[in-house]
Every structure is written in C-alpha cells, then in structure tokens.
Amino acid sequence: MTGIVSLVPDGQPGLLIAPPGGEELAPYLAAGGYAPVPAPGALLARLAATELRGRGGAGFPAAVKLRAVRDAPGRPVVVANGEEGEPGSVKDRWLLRHRPHLVLDGVRLAAAMTDAGRGCVYVSDVRAEQAVRRALTERPPDLRVDVVRTEHTYVAGEETAVVRRIDGGPALPAAKPPRPFESGVGGAPTLVANVETLARIAVVHSRPDTAAAIARTYLVTLSGTAGEPALVEAPAGTYLKTLADLCGHGRAEAVLLGGLFGGLHGAGWTDLRLDHDGLAAAGGALGCGALHFLHPEDCPVAVAAEAAGYLAAQSARQCGVCVAGTGALAGTLAAVARGEAGDDDTAKLLRWSRQLPGRGACGLLDATARIAATLLAHFPDRVEGHRDTACPACCDAVPHDGRRFAVAVP
C-alpha cells in the first residue's frame, strides 16, 4: 500500500500526522489538545462560520446537527461513529487506531457544545477499540465514555442502527421518525457524529487560526485494481485526476465515487473536483470520501454488478422494498454482465433506478439504484455491448463479497 499522502499546505495542521506507534498523550497536550472550553456557545458559532460538513457520507452541516441535539428536550448523548460500512474506506479506522486522543477530544467538545452527559465510541475494528481504551485510560474523561463494539456490516454504521446496537439491540436500521437527535440512545437526544467530523472539531478548537482550512479539507481513500491504495488528506477543490496520479491511477478511465454510494462516472471524471456540491451537480456523491478507479482493463459492467451484488447481500432484510429492489437490481446487472440480459432488462434497470431511491430505511437501496443509473448514463455502449456477448472481464469477476473494493488500513 502507498500508505499516507498529505496535500495539506505548510502551516496547516493535518489529521494524518501521527507517530508510527500511535498518538501519545504528552505530545497531544503540548500541541494544544484537550484545551479548556470556556464558552461552548462560541465554539459552536465558530464551527458554524467554517461551514464544516459531516464526513460520514451525507455531508450535513455539523453545527446544525449539534444545535438540533442541544435544543432537544433531555440530556444528550454524543456518539463517535467509527463503524465504516463502506469496504473501500479506511479513514475512520486509521484515526481511531493512530489518533484516538484527537477523536476523544472531539467527543469532549461535542459534549460541551450540546451539554451531553454521556459519550460513546462505536467501533467494529479490534485495533481501533484497543487504541481508544488505552487513550481513555491515559486521560480519563470528565464525562462517562463507553466503548461499544459491533460486528462489521454495511448497514451497522447507519445512525439508527448505531443507536439500536448501543441500546443492546441488533445493529440494524430503524424506521424514522424519530431520528436520533430527537430520541436516540436510551430515549435521549443523540448526536451520532462521524469520527473524522469529531477530529476536525478538535483541531478547529486547538487551532482556531486554521479553522476555515481544516473544515475544507478531506480524508480520501483511493483504490483500484491497478495502481496503489492510499489514504490522502487533500483540500476541497482538488481535482480527482490529481489524486489518481498520486498513486498510479492516472490511466483510469472511470471512477466509482463515495465508496459504493456515489455511483460510476466515466468521460469527464478528470474534471471533477473534491467537493460535495460539485459532485452532486455532476450526478454523483462524495459520500465517505472513498474513490475506486477503473483502469482500461476493468469493465464498468462487472464493477456495477459486483457492487450491486455486494449491497444486496448486505441488506438488513427488514424492508420488503429493499430486499426486492436490491435483489432485482443485482440480479439484472448480473445477467447483463453474463451477456444474458433480455430485451427489456435495460428499461427495467432505468425504471427501478428512478423509482426505488428514498423507499428504504437506510441508504443501501439508494446506493444500489445509483450504481445502476450511473452505469446506464455513463456507459450505455458498454451495456449494449454485453447483449448476447461474453465479456472476459465479467467472466473473471470476483465474488460479490466486496473484495474488489476492500482496502487495508495503513
């Protein structure tokens, strides 16, 4: 693995700065960590001014979410969500393993801004859990902070699944409303915040002079069947082509955006920039910041079929529309990949990709529909070329276990 690459300008503190053995308490304190919070309201106002957006996938404004939890009736709970469901993302596990004090500092600050009485760190990674427990022992927090372990699945990090698991139930999404900010852990208003979001809050507090730049910088996981995988920290606006060139993906002809959530993008992908709104305007999504590059030898139909098959297998199987919808999308894409699609299968994929989004309890159905929609939009000739024709790349496709998209934590 290429490992860690930082594009952060000189003088700006990045999140990927950590000694090989992990973050130690003394240097973290010396760098301004765990600084007092004399005015939580002022910190919240500063965050709002930076326009920091959540890094879990949806990109929702962090200050708006904090205010909603603070203003809800009851004593809030703050949860650091470190369960990375996307197989192509490693940033949250890296932060928990190597910078646990930074994350716990973010939990402390979020608790101060919301007047929370309890914190939780939610993980599925064993090494991340060990690092967090060690950091809690090194510096016991002012509030109760529990570490809750879950099994790794695609849906286990969805915010209502997080709440259910912390409350002792299964890590499966629940119907909404209420949302966690209204009634979450133990019925209390709950902030479920991504680990990177909390880490950036901590840096904003310790280095207010760099607050705007910190809020506009992203951790991005890069992967592909060729080139090298890497975890990169880059400013918003960085061209995706620049990121690809860093790790030997310059030959790529397409990219799968946002893990499995942002869809496929073909011609013109080199002009796309690292930005929530820009990618959304192009019909994609930044999501968790995972980018999987497709090289000339990769078939986008095979990639779409594998992604849809993986998502269908990861369904919580609680919503009939999700079970039926992901199954139908995955099955039809698999038939296309095998050269066995019927005359009306393309029309079915197009219709389903328009009708199904928004009908499941979580984003899994939406992700599957977007994969089908973007395959049809960006690669119509490749889809048509699979009619009654065996594709070598599709014949050699790996099983639907997410293996193609998986990245090891550096």
Side-chain angles (χ1 to χ4, degrees), residues 92-117:
D92 296 328
R93 282 170 290 166
W94 189 92
L95 285 170
L96 289 167
R97 289 183 184 188
H98 298 284
R99 301 218 60 187
H101 284 294
L102 183 67
V103 175
L104 290 171
D105 201 357
V107 172
R108 175 187 72 100
L109 295 168
M113 287 184 283
T114 59
D115 193 30

Side-chain angles (χ1 to χ4, degrees), residues 7 222 234-246 268-275 279 291 293:
L7 299 181
L222 310 181
T238 302
Y239 281 104
L240 302 194
K241 180 64 165 62
T242 300
L243 297 174
D245 288 340
L246 279 174
W269 76 268
T270 55
D271 297 323
L272 298 177
R273 295 173 182 260
L274 194 62
D275 176 74
L279 292 178
L291 305 176
F293 296 101

Side-chain angles (χ1 to χ4, degrees), residues 43-104:
L43 175 58
L44 184 52
R46 186 188 307 152
L47 280 176
T50 68
E51 299 182 348
L52 175 68
R53 298 174 71 159
R55 298 295 197 262
F60 194 75
V64 173
K65 200 170 182 179
L66 283 158
R67 286 195 180 110
V69 172
R70 179 198 64 184
D71 295 341
R75 190 78 188 275
V77 176
V78 170
V79 178
N81 186 3
E83 164 46 17
E84 288 181 298
E86 291 285 0
S89 179
V90 299
K91 66 184 181 69
D92 296 328
R93 282 170 290 166
W94 189 92
L95 285 170
L96 289 167
R97 289 183 184 188
H98 298 284
R99 301 218 60 187
H101 284 294
L102 183 67
V103 175
L104 290 171

Side-chain angles (χ1 to χ4, degrees), residues 328-402:
L329 287 164
T332 305
L333 284 170
V336 173
R338 293 192 302 266
E340 300 172 357
D343 292 339
D344 62 344
D345 280 341
T346 300
K348 286 181 181 178
L349 286 171
L350 183 60
R351 182 172 69 253
W352 293 334
S353 69
R354 292 172 176 172
Q355 293 176 343
L356 291 174
R359 298 182 62 186
C362 66
L364 186 142
L365 180 58
D366 293 15
T368 315
R370 192 194 294 265
I371 285 169
T374 52
L375 175 69
L376 297 174
H378 289 275
F379 304 98
D381 294 343
R382 300 293 292 270
V383 173
E384 184 63 26
H386 280 68
R387 290 175 63 85
D388 304 319
T389 303
C391 168
C394 290
C395 292
D396 294 337
V398 300
H400 296 158
D401 57 5

